[in-house]
Structures are given as C-alpha cells and as structure tokens.
Amino acid sequence: MVTIEEEPVQEEVPAKANKSDTLEHAEPLASTETATSESDKGSKSPCSAPDAAASSAKRFLWEPAKSSSDIDLNILEPLDGSVPRIKTPLITVQEGMIEKQIIVEGKGEPPEGHAKCFVHFLAWVKDSTEERIEDTRSEKEPVQIVLGQDKPHLQGVAGGLRSMRPGERSLLHINWKMAYGEQGNFSFPHVAPRSDLIYDIELFDYEPEDDEMPRADMTFEERCRQADKRRHAGNELFKDGNHDRAISKYNVALSYFGESFMFQLEGLDKYKNQANAIRLPIHLNLAACHLKKDQFSEVIVNCTE
C-alpha cells in the first residue's frame, strides 16, 4: 500500500456543505488508506452531486466541444450517435489513405515505434454516418493500442495516432484499404466490403515501448502496481500545475481496472477492495484536475464513480 503526502491546496466549497462533503480529499496525493476505509464502508463518494445538473445537460441536442484553450472550434457534437459536424480543415496524414480534422489540439510529441497508446474512439462507416459501429467508451476507461502490433483493421487508426499528440482529439477519415479491406466484416461490427471509415478518436496519453507484459497476461498484483505507478506520475504533474497531462496519466492508470476486469472481481471482496483503494483516489484526483479547469460536468462524473 502506497501513501504519500497530502496536497496542501484545497478547493473552496459552499458554506452549507459538511466537512465530509468537501473536495479536500479529491486533491491529488490522496491517501490510499482513506480510499480503503471509504470503500470498506460502502459509502458513496463525498463529491456526489445532485441529479439536476446531469438532467439539465440532457435538454440540449448539441454540445460544444471542450478545448483546453477555450477556442471556438466550429464543432457541433450530436447526441444522437451520428458523426460530429466539424468545420476545421482536412489534414493529409497519408496520401490517399488517411486524413484528419483536429477537434482539440494536443501537446507534446507524437508516439513513435511500438508505443502503447491509450485511447477512446467512436467509428462510423463513411456512407452511413447516422449510426456508429463501434464505441470504446462503453469500457469507460481508455483502451490500449500498441503501434506496429495493431490488428489489420486498425492500420488506419494506428497511422492516425502517429500524427497525434497527447490530449489531441481528431476525426480520422480512413480509406477502406487501411480498415476492413475488400472483404469487409460480417460479424461485429458489421462493415460492408470496401467501406471507408470515420473515427472520432482521442489520444489520452502514450508510453514508449517497454518490456511490460500484455495487459491480459498481468496478474492482479501487477495491474495494481502499474496503475499506482501512473497515479504517482499524475500527482507529480498536478503539483507542477500541468493539469492536462495529469488527467492523461490518471486515465491511463484507470485503464488497468476496466469495467470488464472489475466485473471479474465480483464476489472477491478482498481483491475488489484493493482495486477500489487505488481507483477511488484516482477518480477524486481527476475531479480535482477538472475543477481547476472549470470542467464541472467531468467533476460530477468522477465524483459519482
């Protein structure tokens, strides 16, 4: 179990809030001992917010894209599952094969070699953009794509990722030759032969090639170690005021405890409590980062996990 010093900075809270309702434990560097005691009690997150905030957001058909620079990117994001409407210019990534439109700019250097990329993406067939064929957000935590070791139908995605910077979100336009090819795919997802695809993809972060074993082969203890390692890296970034990169690191940390993996721990209280002792501080740290950026809907999401 790893315990590090509490972050001294605390966020202001409404005067009527009880001490247990404050965000002081949401600051990065939260102790895993605190998280364990809370999870053992089965209590709700101290940051729980009224349902009214979430319901009010659902009244709108369109939402503006979020940008760390607060620049109007001329994007409308439909809530009906269709492709976002973007007016940013097309950028050629690979002639005749991959083009992209940047939705949110990233920072840093693009991934190289066999880097492990942590992403979320939505996909559509270009000729049928009303209904998406894939959505990795159902896993909540980011999925991992290893460049150079990707599946054949993800060649175009991998090529697009090599042009992206951490934190970047882009719309990739991919030729069928770098997707499901001439045969298409008749299982899930169903893709007709020679179908060009569109991906709305966000690169949270990436890590250079290393000797880490594939996620599926990791023991429970190894997952915990790797997640806690990323949590500490996020804490350091937060202390330096680099909230965007801290968010990326925290999301990578959470990817070691995806929804399907946590489902496997049902009934195994000892292991589930250990996992939650790591997950809960990460979610609270994420909430603190988003609070610094005035991204209140994200604060609510992480405080209600």
Side-chain angles (χ1 to χ4, degrees):
M1 181 178 297
V2 180
T3 305
I4 53 182
E5 295 181 6
E6 256 183 69
E7 168 67 30
V9 180
Q10 299 184 354
E11 297 300 328
E12 294 183 4
V13 296
K16 294 183 180 180
N18 296 324
K19 185 176 181 181
S20 61
D21 292 328
T22 70
L23 270 170
E24 61 179 347
H25 295 302
E27 286 293 316
L29 313 181
S31 167
T32 54
E33 292 180 3
T34 300
T36 303
S37 62
E38 287 298 318
S39 61
D40 288 344
K41 292 177 184 177
S43 60
K44 293 183 178 180
S45 166
C47 305
S48 296
D51 292 336
S55 62
S56 62
K58 295 178 180 178
R59 294 179 303 178
F60 302 96
L61 178 61
W62 302 94
E63 289 184 325
K66 294 175 183 155
S67 169
S68 57
S69 58
D70 293 325
I71 296 176
D72 180 9
L73 294 174
N74 297 317
I75 173 175
L76 290 176
E77 299 194 75
L79 301 181
D80 60 0
S82 56
V83 176
R85 301 178 185 178
I86 304 173
K87 296 181 180 178
T88 53
L90 279 169
I91 300 171
T92 299
V93 176
Q94 184 173 335
E95 189 66 38
M97 293 294 168
I98 308 171
E99 294 179 317
K100 75 173 183 178
Q101 293 172 281
I102 297 176
I103 300 173
V104 178
E105 295 276 1
K107 297 179 181 179
E109 297 299 320
E112 298 178 342
H114 294 283
K116 291 180 296 184
C117 299
F118 299 91
V119 307
H120 266 321
F121 62 78
L122 294 80
W124 298 262
V125 174
K126 196 165 189 176
D127 293 334
S128 179
T129 59
E130 297 302 317
E131 184 176 350
R132 54 180 173 252
I133 59 173
E134 283 190 273
D135 184 353
T136 64
R137 294 179 305 181
S138 60
E139 277 287 328
K140 294 187 179 179
E141 281 71 47
V143 297
Q144 177 180 300
I145 296 177
V146 180
L147 301 183
Q149 300 177 16
D150 39 277
K151 298 176 181 178
H153 70 273
L154 290 177
Q155 291 181 68
V157 171
L161 286 171
R162 291 183 187 277
S163 74
M164 296 174 66
R165 304 175 187 276
E168 180 178 325
R169 178 185 167 200
S170 287
L171 206 64
L172 300 180
H173 301 258
I174 298 175
N175 185 279
W176 61 268
K177 293 179 181 178
M178 300 193 76
Y180 285 93
E182 192 164 6
Q183 301 301 318
N185 189 56
F186 291 96
S187 58
F188 177 82
H190 176 73
V191 179
R194 297 192 175 198
S195 291
D196 296 338
L197 300 183
I198 297 177
Y199 283 86
D200 178 351
I201 187 166
E202 182 173 2
L203 175 62
F204 292 102
D205 204 356
Y206 71 87
E207 295 177 350
E209 181 181 6
D210 58 21
D211 296 327
E212 181 181 290
M213 67 181 68
R215 192 75 57 86
D217 297 336
M218 285 185 181
T219 63
F220 174 79
E221 290 75 16
E222 183 61 22
R223 282 179 181 258
C224 290
R225 281 193 293 270
Q226 295 296 339
D228 212 39
K229 175 182 175 181
R230 274 72 178 182
R231 180 173 71 88
H232 284 298
N235 291 345
E236 293 302 315
L237 289 164
F238 181 90
K239 288 194 293 184
D240 292 339
N242 195 339
H243 302 128
D244 289 319
R245 290 287 286 163
I247 288 171
S248 295
K249 285 296 180 186
Y250 291 138
N251 277 312
V252 172
L254 286 175
S255 70
Y256 287 89
F257 300 109
E259 192 172 69
S260 59
F261 178 76
M262 292 302 296
F263 180 77
Q264 297 176 40
L265 299 182
E266 288 296 330
L268 303 173
D269 292 344
K270 173 185 174 181
Y271 294 104
K272 189 172 183 179
N273 288 340
Q274 288 182 35
N276 284 331
I278 297 174
R279 290 176 69 249
L280 179 59
I282 295 171
H283 277 296
L284 297 181
N285 293 351
L286 271 170
C289 288
H290 288 297
L291 192 62
K292 292 286 188 182
K293 295 167 63 63
D294 294 334
Q295 295 173 338
F296 303 117
S297 61
E298 296 296 330
V299 174
I300 294 173
V301 168
N302 282 284
C303 285
T304 53
E305 281 293 332

